[in-house]
């Protein structure tokens, strides 16, 4: 994994991926006590940054391999990203999803033309299911984060941050990234190491699922006790990846951990102040920027809102519980 | 009013106004039966396109005139646009708002440093109040739409649409604009006349407040029977302006009229499919694009989402009544 792979991914993504802006609001600056910039990857195609990695991985395959189709496992955002990338390349996609994934994510993945296979998150091994289907049909497995071309695609988010931060004159800032397996976080960290080395990348996670924060603290890969039961479904993974963790360890940290309520509150503030839709897992970095200000350094903070695929009733609940 | 004024406004706005992208979703294309592109001015500073006109007008004043301060009357979006533009220019702002404006808009206008004066929309004449305060304090009145520099600022939205439509190869499309007094609609129409003359500008309004559609049909300025009592508060004005109407008449039409329920449904679809927050009045153009497809011509349709300043309870109501 290196910056050349991210640059190459950026070339392949050109014209297919939406370039997201940096948003801000004086009301958020006031809460955080410093300038807050938000990179709204919820505005990306399929509603999350995952389309970047999906497109990167599918477009990197040799045409004759790609033609047989791809397979992915995902709670929903990687699913949609790969499904749309496959459809736009004209190849089939099979997506293995946990049966407790948000309804919207399952429905959307099907509507984007993928064949959806549901599994039980607590009792079944999604990797085993993926490997079997992959072998049977000649499909190429596109892993959600521990895959170099996926990391390279997510890393293009970092190229854009570097460009916009330079234009705004931001040099001394933490860049907070919603972190599941670490694909987005490690990709951004590699991009910023090359293009904006004074910015510091820090993973943000929900309480109870802070495997990355604990792994960075202990110096070895730590697992989560649970792998379900959070509104932050988008970023719940058992542990950091074998490819992502060494990158996170070299370039990122320390981790930031927010409560589910803080994530819901950040969703409500993103609604009121930025007019964007964040899902709970996609709001943890913004929640850290707003509510963990004393753990953050710098004149400004940049927070990724990594996705916006949330069911309406959960969103309405966030607005009602935390009126802005 | 001409394109040179819009170009000059674009120069003054450079670096201060957010350049909004064109968003799209295959799910919206399917509903509309053609490609749908959305210009999300809800992502503009202060949550609506009004900041463009506010900045344009305040920045166009002679420094010694501007220093005395500005005054504006508005149900909320123009209020916030002028308040922030004044604050960033370091001059005082007095904003006259109807007492039934959404709480969030009144609170935000105050929080942006303006002095807010409330009036009764049914029983008091806001123009008279504005003229009196303006005379007493030496404030310059920034009218919400019937003011050349405001129209020029709103017209910069059209310059961006022309640029993005050219990049996407869109030549044959209706451009639907949420229309109150006609400032945004006439500004966009002038910009497109110069830069993208094959695109057609059409005002969109809520039922019962379709003064522009009726005025275009009859060839003379028609008034609305009511001036309050709609969720689409942002675009409820008594009648088209004396400056805007001749421009609308020359370049725009016919008007499109949607129900309040269609606007709420479009808000829910913008939430689910684009991850943006639209207010009811800001969603009428998208509602027309989605639900009045047979009244629209062209391979594609471009709809402005003009603002996103909506209270959480109204938004939650839209999601619950029209689950996507």
């Amino acid at each position: 994994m290196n910056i050349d792979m991210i640059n190459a991914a950026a070339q392949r993504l050109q014209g297919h991926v939406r370039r997201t802006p940096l948003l801000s609001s004086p009301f958020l600056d006031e809460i955080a006590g410093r300038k807050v910039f938000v990179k709204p990857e919820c505005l990306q195609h399929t509603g999350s940054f995952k389309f970047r990695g999906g497109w990167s991985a599918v477009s990197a395959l040799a045409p004759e391999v790609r033609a047989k189709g791809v397979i992915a496992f995902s709670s929903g955002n990687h699913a949609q990203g790969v499904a749309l990338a496959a459809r736009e390349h004209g190849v089939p996609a099979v997506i293995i999803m946990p049966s407790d994934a948000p309804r919207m994510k399952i429905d959307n993945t099907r509507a984007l033309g993928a064949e959806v296979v549901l599994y039980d998150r607590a009792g079944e091994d999604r990797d085993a299911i993926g490997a079997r289907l992959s072998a049977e049909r000649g499909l190429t497995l596109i892993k959600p984060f521990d895959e170099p071309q996926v990391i390279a695609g997510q890393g293009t988010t970092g190229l854009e941050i570097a460009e916009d931060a330079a234009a705004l004159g931001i040099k001394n800032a933490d860049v907070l990234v919603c972190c599941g397996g670490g694909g987005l976080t490690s990709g951004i960290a590699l991009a910023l190491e090359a293009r904006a080395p004074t910015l510091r990348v820090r993973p943000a996670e929900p309480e109870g699922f802070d495997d990355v924060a604990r792994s960075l603290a202990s110096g070895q890969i730590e697992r989560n006790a649970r792998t379900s039961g959070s509104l932050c479904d988008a970023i719940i993974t058992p542990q950091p990846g074998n490819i992502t963790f060494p990158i996170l360890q070299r370039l990122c940290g320390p981790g930031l951990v927010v409560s589910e309520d803080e994530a819901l509150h950040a969703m409500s503030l993103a609604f009121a102040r930025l007019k964007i839709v964040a899902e709970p897992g996609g709001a943890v970095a913004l929640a850290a920027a707003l509510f963990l200000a004393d753990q953050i350094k710098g004149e400004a903070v940049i927070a990724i809102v990594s996705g916006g695929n949330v069911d309406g009733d959960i969103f309405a609940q966030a607005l009602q519980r935390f009126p802005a």
Side-chain angles (χ1 to χ4, degrees), chain A:
Chain A
M1 276 311 311
N2 57 46
I3 184 68
D4 296 337
M5 289 178 67
I6 299 176
N7 290 334
Q11 290 280 326
R12 295 197 306 280
L13 269 57
Q14 181 80 35
H16 300 288
V17 164
R18 195 168 279 147
R19 195 202 187 292
T20 51
L22 283 185
L23 305 179
S24 63
S25 158
F27 296 99
L28 299 184
D29 300 348
E30 201 178 316
I31 295 171
R34 54 170 63 84
K35 271 303 266 180
V36 178
F37 294 96
V38 170
K39 178 120 179 119
E41 279 295 304
C42 51
L43 303 179
Q44 190 52 260
H45 295 292
T46 71
S48 90
F49 74 96
K50 291 283 191 177
F51 182 67
R52 295 179 186 260
W55 185 278
S56 172
V58 173
S59 65
L61 295 175
E64 64 278 13
V65 174
R66 183 166 60 225
K68 293 184 184 164
V70 295
I71 183 168
F73 34 91
S74 161
S75 70
N77 283 339
H78 180 57
Q80 293 174 74
V82 171
L84 183 60
R87 187 171 83 173
E88 293 194 359
H89 280 87
V91 304
V94 175
I95 313 286
I96 303 164
M97 303 185 73
S99 49
D100 64 344
R103 182 187 53 78
M104 170 187 274
K105 292 180 179 178
I106 296 175
D107 291 350
N108 286 358
T109 305
R110 285 206 176 102
L112 291 169
E115 177 187 340
V116 172
V117 176
L118 297 176
Y119 78 101
D120 173 13
R121 203 194 285 250
E124 292 182 273
D125 178 356
R126 66 179 190 177
D127 293 283
I129 299 174
R132 179 175 54 77
L133 280 168
S134 177
E136 280 173 13
R137 305 199 201 173
L139 305 168
T140 300
L141 180 65
I142 312 281
K143 291 188 184 176
F145 53 85
D146 224 25
E147 151 61 44
Q149 292 299 0
V150 169
I151 297 171
Q154 321 305 29
T156 61
T157 316
L159 300 181
E160 295 174 9
I161 292 171
E163 194 175 298
D164 289 352
L168 290 162
I170 305 168
K171 285 185 184 143
N172 175 18
D174 284 358
V175 178
L176 314 188
V177 188
C178 307
C179 191
L184 179 62
T185 313
S186 62
I188 289 176
L190 287 170
L192 296 184
E193 180 191 26
R195 300 287 184 85
T198 65
L199 302 181
R200 299 167 296 272
V201 175
R202 302 183 60 183
E205 294 168 293
E207 269 173 20
F209 302 90
D210 58 346
D211 52 307
V212 172
R214 286 184 293 107
S215 300
L216 288 173
S218 75
Q220 59 187 31
I221 288 180
E222 307 281 351
R223 288 182 66 85
N224 288 320
R226 292 181 294 146
T227 55
S228 65
S230 170
L231 283 176
C232 301
D233 63 284
I235 58 171
I236 301 310
T237 44
Q239 60 183 55
N242 293 322
I243 301 176
T244 59
F245 183 60
I247 302 169
L248 299 176
Q249 205 171 16
R250 185 167 69 79
L251 297 173
C252 306
L256 296 158
V257 182
V258 301
S259 68
E260 208 167 86
D261 273 4
E262 287 171 326
L264 293 172
H265 193 174
M267 285 167 65
S268 178
L269 287 163
F271 158 83
R273 301 311 183 184
L274 301 173
K275 315 305 174 189
I276 59 171
V277 176
E279 61 186 286
V284 298
L286 178 58
L290 297 173
F291 306 128
L292 303 182
D294 58 352
Q295 296 178 43
I296 294 170
K297 292 202 186 86
E299 65 200 274
V301 60
I302 299 172
I304 318 290
V305 167
S306 54
N309 289 313
V310 54
D311 287 343
D313 54 347
I314 307 275
F315 195 78
Q317 196 186 105
L319 301 189
Q320 280 151 358
R321 286 196 48 210
F322 299 97

